[in-house]
């Protein structure tokens, strides 16, 4: 099964494609980021994210796209709204492509990957790198967060 995990953001969207036969046989296929320019109009930025996600879907043909559920902190509502725009185009790409879309709360992702629901970003990154045998330790957090989403689906659904 091919799984696409996405960590949507308006400036940087991380993505990771994994192939899983079961929860013990998981292989990294592709991972990276989609960057947009802060000075561009939001419509241009969202189109870039959307088109790149469609290209990834076309190239790897995932059976499922996995996202983290949107969380809004009362002190930073604008951040959630902007992230929601990027998240929306990923959801649209899933719908247009006919791909199953799954959302997990951040605590579920942290627990599935590290064993603890309050894990730090560094702990998640370290565990993702270990689980997928990623030797380049300079992976952006956006990428390892996306891969954590994909790995959560494996741990939750392919056991």
């Amino acid at each position: 099964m091919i799984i696409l995990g996405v960590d949507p953001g308006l400036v940087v969207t991380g993505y990771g494609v994994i192939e899983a036969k079961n929860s013990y046989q998981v292989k990294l296929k592709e991972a990276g980021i989609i960057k947009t320019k802060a000075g561009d109009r939001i419509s241009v930025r969202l189109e870039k994210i959307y088109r790149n996600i469609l290209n990834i879907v076309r190239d790897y043909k995932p059976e499922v796209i996995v996202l983290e559920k949107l969380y809004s902190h009362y002190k930073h509502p604008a951040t959630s709204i902007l992230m929601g725009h990027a998240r929306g185009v990923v959801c649209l790409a899933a719908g247009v492509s006919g791909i199953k879309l799954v959302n997990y709360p951040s605590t579920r992702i942290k627990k599935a990957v590290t064993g603890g629901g309050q894990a730090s970003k560094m702990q998640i990154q370290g565990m993702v790198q270990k689980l997928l045998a990623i030797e380049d330790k300079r992976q952006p957090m956006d990428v390892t967060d996306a891969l954590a989403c994909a790995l959560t689906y494996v741990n939750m659904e392919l056991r």
Side-chain angles (χ1 to χ4, degrees):
M1 167 177 261
I2 305 293
I3 303 156
L4 170 59
V6 181
D7 179 32
L10 197 53
V11 176
V12 178
T13 292
Y15 68 89
V17 181
I18 61 173
E19 182 175 15
K21 295 190 188 309
N22 55 48
S23 61
Y24 303 104
Q25 294 178 299
V26 181
K27 182 170 77 171
L28 175 64
K29 302 285 282 179
E30 170 66 18
I33 57 171
I34 303 163
K35 290 181 87 169
T36 67
K37 295 179 186 170
D40 285 347
R41 294 184 326 270
I42 192 166
S43 58
V44 172
R45 297 168 82 184
L46 293 173
E47 180 186 14
K48 182 174 183 178
I49 295 166
Y50 176 71
R51 291 198 184 282
N52 276 271
I53 294 295
L54 285 180
N55 287 337
I56 295 163
V57 165
R58 183 196 65 229
D59 292 347
Y60 292 97
K61 298 173 182 39
E63 294 174 54
V64 63
I65 295 176
V66 186
L67 297 169
E68 183 179 311
K69 280 189 177 177
L70 189 58
Y71 169 76
S72 177
H73 192 279
Y74 73 93
K75 291 182 179 179
H76 308 285
T79 302
S80 297
I81 291 167
L82 292 174
M83 191 167 107
H85 292 320
R87 195 173 186 285
V89 297
V90 174
C91 294
L92 176 62
V96 166
S97 303
I99 298 173
K100 180 180 177 180
L101 181 68
V102 176
N103 299 275
Y104 294 115
S106 63
T107 53
R108 169 63 14 229
I109 293 168
K110 291 173 183 181
K111 187 167 186 171
V113 174
T114 67
Q118 301 302 316
S120 71
K121 286 213 175 254
M122 294 294 286
Q123 289 171 314
I124 293 166
Q125 185 176 46
M127 200 61 176
V128 165
Q129 290 170 340
K130 183 176 180 179
L131 291 169
L132 295 174
I134 297 172
E135 293 181 19
D136 182 1
K137 303 299 183 199
R138 296 171 293 151
Q139 289 277 317
M141 293 283 187
D142 308 284
V143 171
T144 51
D145 285 353
L147 289 167
C149 290
L151 288 168
T152 298
Y153 185 84
V154 171
N155 288 335
M156 300 292 294
E157 309 296 334
L158 299 183
R159 289 205 159 247

